[in-house]
Amino acid sequence: VRRRASAARLEGLAVESVLVTEEPGVEVELARASRGRGLDLVLDAVGGPLGPMLARALRPGGRFIHYGLLSGEPLPRETWADPERIRFELFALRDWL
């Protein structure tokens, strides 16, 4: 999640870990949460500068699903730096609502 207040709303749910992207060290925490294997899936509703960091956290063959721009910024080009290693899927959520 982006903010600590959002993390608080997840307390008590059956989740292994909740990371706050605005806090320092989140990239290290992502690696720790995946036990060094990389993430299977990233669901990105934010866009903007977090995209490359989230893409790097994926395991080979991992999936990056981008469905929103809450940041108001598009994903930087380097997010798609390694398309052979990561599967990217894009869709406009508002088209489905």
Side-chain angles (χ1 to χ4, degrees):
V1 296
R2 289 192 294 168
R3 296 183 180 84
R4 175 64 43 204
S6 297
R9 288 187 275 165
L10 299 172
E11 289 179 13
L13 298 178
V15 296
E16 270 187 45
S17 59
V18 177
L19 306 176
V20 181
T21 58
E22 71 179 9
E23 293 182 357
V26 70
E27 204 158 356
V28 172
E29 292 300 319
L30 277 169
R32 186 176 298 139
S34 72
R35 296 174 182 84
R37 296 184 307 247
L39 303 173
D40 294 320
L41 174 68
V42 166
L43 298 171
D44 176 39
V46 178
L50 288 176
M53 186 262 304
L54 294 171
R56 285 190 303 272
L58 286 163
R59 67 167 175 76
R63 192 181 226 173
F64 189 108
I65 299 176
H66 176 63
Y67 64 96
L69 285 175
L70 291 173
S71 69
E73 300 176 46
L75 290 168
R77 197 171 267 192
E78 64 265 23
T79 305
W80 292 279
D82 198 356
E84 284 87 42
R85 191 178 75 79
I86 300 168
R87 295 183 307 171
F88 291 95
E89 297 179 35
L90 310 170
F91 69 92
L93 181 60
R94 73 178 65 137
D95 290 347
W96 291 91
L97 297 176

